Structures are given as C-alpha cells and as structure tokens.
Amino acid sequence: MNEFYYVDIVFENVESIRVRADRLVRLDVGPQKENGVTAYGEGTSYSTDSLHMAISFEDEAVLAYDPNTEPHPAGMYTSNPLSNVVHERPAVLGRILHYRNIVNLTFLDEQEQAFKTVYVPWREEDEYSNKYMEVEAGSGVI
C-alpha cells in the first residue's frame, strides 16, 4: 500500500471522520480482494475479511460525542459547517462508540487525495448495524 497520511472512517449513513495516520496505534488489514476502481474514481477499492484498528486519544471527554444530540454530525455529504477531522474536532472520535456501522476505510495521501478504499466484513442480516464489529475504549485507545 502507498504511504498514507490520513484515513477516512466511513459509516453506513455516509458520515465519516478523518484520522491522521500518526494516531493509529494499530492497523492490521487482512488479505484483500480487489473490487476495481471506486464509484467516485478515487483509487481502487478492496474487500477484506478482517480488520483491526486502534486509535489513540488523549482525553476521555472526546468520547462523549453523541450523534443523536449533536447539531452538526460527523460529516455527512451535506453542507456541514464543522470539520470531521479528529485533530481539528476531537469529539467526533466518539462517533465510533455509538453505532457498529463502519463500512470502509479510505486511505489518503499527503494532499488528502484518496487512493485506496478497503471495505470491512459486514454481516448482511442487518443493513444498518455490522454484527461483526466490536468496539472497546480505554487507556487512551479506541
């Protein structure tokens, strides 16, 4: 994989949060199957059967983010005036705790241009919640 500087974590409802690569304590992506060019022409998309990721945070207060009460959610494709970038708006990291619905990770280069998307395994019985996804937070890592 090319060197990446950011990763967009994309959720089922098309919300996303952007994390700098240096915040990733762990990123293990299992074997990947190429799907072809992404729908938006931003690199190639892949599928994998396993993905483990750990993201660092400094203050547990950032995990209090609640998308149900947030007037500006984490960056859907709307005219959201607030950033979905974790280092600019740390509380959006807490979005990961509220729903088990990460769909893919999109990797971006230094100019924040997408070059690769990896779709995570998804249990098809529920289109809104991924029963394969587990989330834990503690000791400065989610």
Side-chain angles (χ1 to χ4, degrees), residues 49-135:
D49 289 333
S50 68
L51 187 136
H52 299 274
M53 177 173 51
I55 305 167
S56 66
F57 63 88
E58 292 184 18
D59 184 351
E60 288 201 22
V62 301
L63 303 180
Y65 173 89
D66 183 352
N68 291 318
T69 60
E70 177 66 34
H72 301 289
M76 293 172 29
Y77 290 119
T78 62
S79 56
N80 187 343
L82 299 179
S83 175
N84 69 334
V85 180
V86 172
H87 69 270
E88 294 173 354
R89 188 176 169 208
V92 295
L93 186 60
R95 165 61 171 85
I96 295 171
L97 296 175
H98 288 276
Y99 305 101
R100 294 182 312 189
N101 66 352
I102 293 175
V103 172
N104 68 60
L105 301 181
T106 298
F107 297 92
L108 300 102
D109 62 21
E110 194 170 12
Q111 289 76 41
E112 299 186 50
Q113 298 298 307
F115 64 88
K116 181 177 184 175
T117 297
V118 177
Y119 288 88
V120 304
W122 187 283
R123 203 154 161 194
E124 294 296 327
E125 65 208 31
D126 185 343
E127 66 184 286
Y128 301 109
S129 181
N130 186 353
K131 303 300 184 200
Y132 290 138
M133 185 177 157
E134 295 179 15
V135 179

